[in-house]
Amino acid sequence: MPLTDFFARKPEFEIFALETADLPQAAAIHKSRFTHAWSDGELHSLLIQDTVFGFIARQNNAYTRPFITQPFVGGFVLSRVAAGEAEILTIGVDPRFSRLGLGWRLMRAALREARDQAAEAVFLEVDETNAAAIALYRKLGFAKVGERRAYYQGVNGVKTGALVMRLDLG
Ligand SMILES: CC(C)(COP(=O)(O)OP(=O)(O)OC[C@H]1O[C@@H](n2cnc3c(N)ncnc32)[C@H](O)[C@@H]1OP(=O)(O)O)[C@@H](O)C(=O)NCCC(=O)NCCS
């Protein structure tokens, strides 16, 4: 294989069920994207709950020799279903792979699983200043159903509100 191919190879991603072995990489993505990072231990304590599930975008065209490169993890989503309602607990995409459709694909996988688990609606909370996430959720059909004032505290101490959004799966 020519060296130029090696460097030019564009990662392609596939969506898999999130497993405990993936959590260190999921935690690294969470840390890179959120002010209040969740450790892999915290993610683990969620994922082992019967009501919680997740998905991960993993590179499917990495070179097989691990000393050369490891497959990239592009992002992950964590969700919970209980009593006919689902909740998106968190979603994060590695900034290197932003705007490639991974957030969309991860959310679609979570929504499909929620529907399979008999959820009739999905809820989430999002920072009112998070334009990218709000645009993603609106594109998926979520609508604002509530607001929580001064809900999030940023690194600079400035508090921002949360939007509560809902998608009907019925
Ligand atoms: C929100 C997030 C998950 C989106 O992931 P992504 O893989 O980059 O998004 P996608 O490529 O799937 O985008 C799907 C749609 O979302 C919207 N969108 C995504 N990023 C956007 C941006 N930066 N600005 C405006 N719209 C955006 C667009 O409608 C986009 O569709 P389009 O590309 O056809 O216009 C990602 O930005 C992220 O991890 N953010 C930090 C963590 C976070 O905010 N999580 C949500 C907390 S509630």
Side-chain angles (χ1 to χ4, degrees):
M1 172 189 48
L3 206 55
T4 45
D5 283 5
F6 175 81
F7 286 111
R9 192 165 200 178
K10 217 175 131 191
E12 289 169 11
F13 293 93
E14 205 172 328
I15 308 298
F16 296 92
L18 183 69
E19 293 174 3
T20 51
D22 301 316
L23 293 179
Q25 287 164 297
I29 290 175
H30 200 274
K31 190 174 175 189
S32 76
R33 305 258 26 188
F34 291 93
T35 317
H36 305 289
W38 294 357
S39 68
D40 52 342
E42 287 168 299
L43 292 173
H44 185 262
S45 63
L46 284 167
L47 190 59
I48 56 172
Q49 295 173 27
D50 288 345
T51 52
V52 175
F53 59 85
F55 292 92
I56 188 164
R58 198 181 296 126
Q59 186 186 5
N60 65 5
N61 67 339
Y63 292 103
T64 48
R65 285 174 292 173
F67 57 89
I68 294 182
T69 180
Q70 293 283 356
F72 288 116
V73 166
F76 77 103
V77 61
L78 206 58
S79 181
R80 172 189 282 135
V81 174
E85 283 185 357
E87 184 188 358
I88 302 299
L89 299 173
T90 191
I91 177 169
V93 168
D94 184 319
R96 289 174 294 178
F97 308 116
S98 279
R99 217 61 196 266
L100 296 178
L102 294 183
W104 170 265
R105 290 170 64 192
L106 287 162
M107 282 296 296
R108 294 282 298 210
L111 299 179
R112 199 176 312 119
E113 179 63 24
R115 193 178 283 117
D116 287 352
Q117 292 194 25
E120 289 171 5
V122 187
F123 290 85
L124 58 83
E125 280 157 6
V126 57
D127 188 317
E128 64 187 358
T129 65
N130 190 343
I134 292 169
L136 169 64
Y137 302 145
R138 285 202 194 287
K139 192 173 172 183
L140 285 158
F142 281 84
K144 178 182 140 185
V145 290
E147 270 177 82
R148 300 192 207 286
R149 286 175 142 204
Y151 191 69
Y152 298 107
Q153 175 126 29
V155 265
N156 50 9
V158 176
K159 291 189 172 177
T160 51
L163 305 185
V164 182
M165 301 186 85
R166 178 184 192 275
L167 174 70
D168 195 347
L169 293 178

